[in-house]
Amino acid sequence: MAKLNKKVTTGLKVLISAVLIYFILTKINVEEIKEILVKSNPAYLFGAAIFFIISKVIAAMRLNLYFHQLSIPLTHRSNLKLYLLGMFYNLFLPGGIGGDAYKGYILKKSFDVPTKKMVSVLVLDRLGGLLLLFIYACALLYFLDLEALNGFRWMFILAIPLSIVVFWFLNKRFFNYVLPIFWKTTVFSALVQLAQLISIWFILFALKIELNQIAYLIIFLVSSIVAVVPLTLGGIGSREVTFFYGAQLLGLDQSISVGVSVLFFLITAIVSLAGVWYHFKKITLESKETSKQ
């Protein structure tokens, strides 16, 4: 029954992604998108890829902080391998075995850690990322040159400390065992999302977009939040739809906006594909104790 449910869930994700992609293709000029991508500056795209990789390395370090707090003394090298494999599973094999589920399974099998706590830190890792996406979006919305926001900008500034306080109390109430690393993981989350924003910034320059950069960055942050919702395959389709309607709402070029989304996805896919090496080559998890011997 469980296997059947997984197959049904995967089928629905594939269907939703396909429908969203088809919808986007009917709304934009595909040839125009191709021309935009072909004319993009490869040097800036390389810079975008570097900062995306940096963001994932920092994200892996953040996750390892949680693991160490659960007395899982995983080395950063082993954790990075596991994280890369998880990226591959999340993007290319989300129906069979998700990246987070696989990491939890392997670590539960290798280390004596309660399942509830393992699941909790994996969820907290995602929530910490969402918190900073929200914070950066609020900060950028404050500076967005949009008349409709006048009179509401104070709300965005107020929402930043308020969201941090709420998340801190959530940690204290339900996940007290990881509260000592709350501020460390929050700083790491800030660096992760900053690196990804810089990655998108490079993509904007690659497409020669010098105007309305704040608007494009806001759309990216919103699309990243939407992509976390497990309705599609690795966020495929949902991110593009967000870029499409975000551009429409903010008066931007929709084809260019979707082009930004496509380039970010291609960078994500290329980096994630590197994890296939560890799909075929079994990862030997090393703890800090064994690595010193």
Side-chain angles (χ1 to χ4, degrees), residues 39 75 107 125 156-157 167 173 176 185 205 222 245 282:
K39 290 184 177 180
T75 63
L107 293 173
D125 185 64
F156 300 126
I157 297 302
F167 191 55
R173 176 66 178 83
N176 197 49
T185 54
F205 279 118
V222 174
Y245 278 110
K282 185 179 179 181

Side-chain angles (χ1 to χ4, degrees), residues 190-234:
L191 293 174
V192 168
Q193 304 308 339
L194 178 61
Q196 293 211 3
L197 280 174
I198 294 175
S199 177
I200 288 294
W201 191 48
F202 270 90
I203 290 176
L204 295 179
F205 279 118
L207 298 180
K208 299 179 178 62
I209 301 172
E210 297 182 1
L211 299 176
N212 302 309
Q213 290 185 344
I214 290 179
Y216 282 108
L217 292 176
I218 291 171
I219 294 173
F220 165 73
L221 291 169
V222 174
S223 73
S224 295
I225 295 173
V226 172
V228 172
V229 180
L231 294 177
T232 61
L233 291 176

Side-chain angles (χ1 to χ4, degrees), residues 68-83:
H68 288 177
Q69 196 65 20
L70 295 185
S71 299
I72 302 176
L74 197 63
T75 63
H76 287 300
R77 181 178 178 182
S78 292
N79 178 61
L80 193 57
K81 292 178 182 178
L82 194 60
Y83 195 91

